[in-house]
Amino acid sequence: MLRQIEGSRAVAEAVALCRPEVVCAYPISPQTHIIEGVGVMVKSGRLSPCEFVNVESEFAAMSVSIGASAMGARAYTATASQGLLFMTEVVYNAAGLGLPIVMTVANRAIGAPINIWNDHSDAMSVRDSGWLQLFAETNQHALDLHIQAFRLAEELSVPVMVCMDGFVLTHAFERVDVPSQEEVDAWLPSFEPRQVLDPDNPVSIGAMVGPEAFTEVRYLAHVRQLQALVRIPELAAEFETAFGRGIGGLVSPYRLEGAETVVVALGSVLGTIKDAADALRDEGIPIGVLGITTFRPFPAEAIAEALEGARQVVVVEKAFSIGGHGILGADVSLATTGRGPSVYNVIAGLGGRPITEDSLRRMMLQGIERSLPPLSFLDLDSGLVERELDRMESERRSGPSAENLLRDVGTVPARAS
Amino acid sequence: MTHAQADAQIASATFQVRFHGRGGQGVVTAAEMLSVAAFLDGRYSQAFPSFGSERTGAPVVSYCRISEREIRTRAPIDAPDALIVQDATLVHQVDLFAGIREDGFILVNTSQSFDDLGLGDLAERFHPDHLLTVPATEIALRHLGRPLPNAVLLGGFAVMTGVVTIDSVVAAIEERFHGAVAQGNAAAAQEAAALVAEERLARASSD
């Protein structure tokens, strides 16, 4: 049924349609509306049987999810930003134990300085944990990816993280097609755990493994992710047959025919990028867009194939490895090594900085001219940076940089002297 | 603008609305309800807030786009076709009118005139049918007993711009609220709609 609802509500509906038996989460912006929505459905009895467990922290939320999943319950949680960091130790445990938990990450920047707005630093910080990571472009994608996530997680016995841009998607009202309970029930079989804690048939999980087998345990986790590379497109095709929407899969090509320049990105910024690319296409410039839906496992082969004809590739991403490079950018560079295109990496939208069509257009034109540096920052206020560098150069006790910058931009008043 | 003119405009380009108000006035809810109204009219629409450090009374901005096609951009609206100003005390504090199109619409919640607000210069630049005031807080107080102007202004907006129908605005209000709050807001929106229609009629007959 077509509905005009908030992204968080759409995800709450999708999660409820998947009939989780245990939901345990700790509220944090911008995830809160999702978990409130699921909570209301549990309380009203609409989502039943399901236990909603209130806990004191994200660490506990993931720990309870692990316990529930290990007992054979379908388990769901959601978090963002510092919340994801706070549960990081158990995020790794969930993956290491092979427990098919589904978690929404309402992507948000990481402090300090505190920032509640959107970027991808949180999800990127756990990209090596062994979770699958899917990125939603729209709220319809977010809704559909959650339904696919439960099936994928349970088939492969791996946890899946569905990433959606905080505020940009979670708090946006837009049209979504919400499937019926019957449709979801027909597509998503009940959870048949690969391993289960059963008092009548006791087993240990998570026992210590020494050097004699740890490499093999990790290699098996890698093998499961490689299996996911095959299974994800198959499930997307099955989903399209059942629901009529071609959402999911590894990558999402847009106007790649004859494209000499291709912009690669994750998440909701793809919409603005497509608008900017369309405007250039109308002017006869052969430019295309490649959305990455599946970030872990990394679909290197699918990306290399999609970028086969490109001369230059501009990777736009909302996170970076400080002191190093863009994260998606590095992965794309590696995937295309020896295949031809020059890869330019542009960091954009950190901490909620709006990504405008005008800025993207300028970036695209520079990409086409091959005048972009290997790594650059969209709309960086270099004057602001220079002033702080000068201050740091001229006096030892120049004070906290973040607060100095806020005074420079006028967000907070100048210090009384 | 008539519905036919509005239809023609939306067919060629996305219609973009920016809301300004203060925390607690339902600025975000207003954009969301407008998006629901446009959806009920059969259009694509997108509403989203501009999050600041929200506090009751602090300036808040929200956005709504309405289109015949799927809306893909996620950028904030910097060149709006219409502004809805829920709190007239903002007019000289915040850069409210930034980017507003010359043929755009401005609807301000006030019982004063544009001259009284110190906006006489602005008024001269816009078509008189595109620049209106509605005493939405007073109307809300009468119907709801609370100074919440957001739903009321949507009623005036529907008639002023023609981009949504008043029926859909009322339906969106009833989807959002329940019981007496829904009834009060719906009645208040309809009163604002009637007020704008009368004002326009009066201006047309005096021309």
Side-chain angles (χ1 to χ4, degrees), chain B residues 134 139 142-143 152 156 166 185-196 198:
Chain B
V134 167
I139 295 173
R142 258 191 289 112
H143 287 274
V152 191
I166 182 65
N185 272 302
Q190 280 161 325
E191 183 178 327
L195 206 68
V196 170
E198 274 170 37

Side-chain angles (χ1 to χ4, degrees), chain A residues 6-229:
Chain A
E6 195 192 39
S8 296
R9 176 73 183 277
V11 168
E13 294 283 342
V15 168
L17 287 169
C18 293
R19 301 186 186 274
E21 293 159 294
V22 175
V23 175
C24 181
Y26 188 81
I28 180 169
S29 284
Q31 153 264 36
T32 323
H33 291 183
I34 298 172
I35 223 65
E36 283 173 354
V38 176
V40 165
M41 286 187 267
V42 174
K43 182 82 175 167
S44 72
R46 194 187 128 189
L47 172 53
S48 176
C50 179
E51 189 166 352
F52 190 100
V53 188
N54 283 303
V55 286
E56 82 289 357
S57 73
E58 286 87 358
F59 187 93
M62 181 52 70
S63 298
V64 168
S65 301
I66 286 173
S69 187
M71 288 300 292
R74 182 172 283 166
Y76 170 78
T77 188
T79 192
S81 186
Q82 324 287 141
L84 182 62
L85 295 197
F86 195 33
M87 65 163 69
T88 300
E89 179 182 344
V90 263
V91 165
Y92 274 75
N93 283 338
L97 295 170
L99 295 171
I101 299 161
V102 171
M103 172 162 67
T104 312
V105 174
N107 296 113
R108 166 184 153 182
I110 291 171
I114 193 165
N115 178 296
I116 64 166
W117 294 271
N118 167 243
D119 69 30
H120 289 167
S121 307
D122 51 5
M124 288 297 160
S125 77
V126 293
R127 70 186 185 277
D128 304 331
S129 63
W131 284 61
L132 306 189
Q133 291 184 313
L134 311 177
F135 279 79
E137 180 180 335
T138 67
N139 285 334
Q140 186 71 58
H141 285 232
L143 191 161
D144 291 342
L145 287 176
H146 278 85
I147 298 168
Q148 296 183 30
F150 279 101
R151 178 134 167 219
L152 183 64
E154 291 170 8
E155 277 192 12
L156 297 171
S157 212
V158 289
V160 179
M161 198 179 289
V162 181
C163 302
M164 65 189 295
D165 285 316
F167 294 117
V168 180
L169 291 182
T170 57
H171 287 57
F173 264 62
E174 60 189 28
R175 177 185 295 206
V176 288
D177 196 345
V178 183
S180 68
Q181 188 65 64
E182 294 68 34
E183 287 174 297
V184 176
D185 284 346
W187 199 76
L188 179 65
S190 57
F191 176 29
E192 180 61 52
R194 186 174 287 285
Q195 53 181 350
V196 66
L197 291 178
D198 177 359
D200 294 332
N201 187 17
V203 292
S204 302
I205 67 170
M208 178 179 281
V209 172
E212 71 282 6
F214 199 78
T215 302
E216 289 69 25
V217 169
R218 280 290 173 268
Y219 184 76
L220 282 169
H222 183 62
V223 166
R224 278 207 302 277
Q225 292 244 352
L226 297 183
Q227 289 169 343
L229 279 180

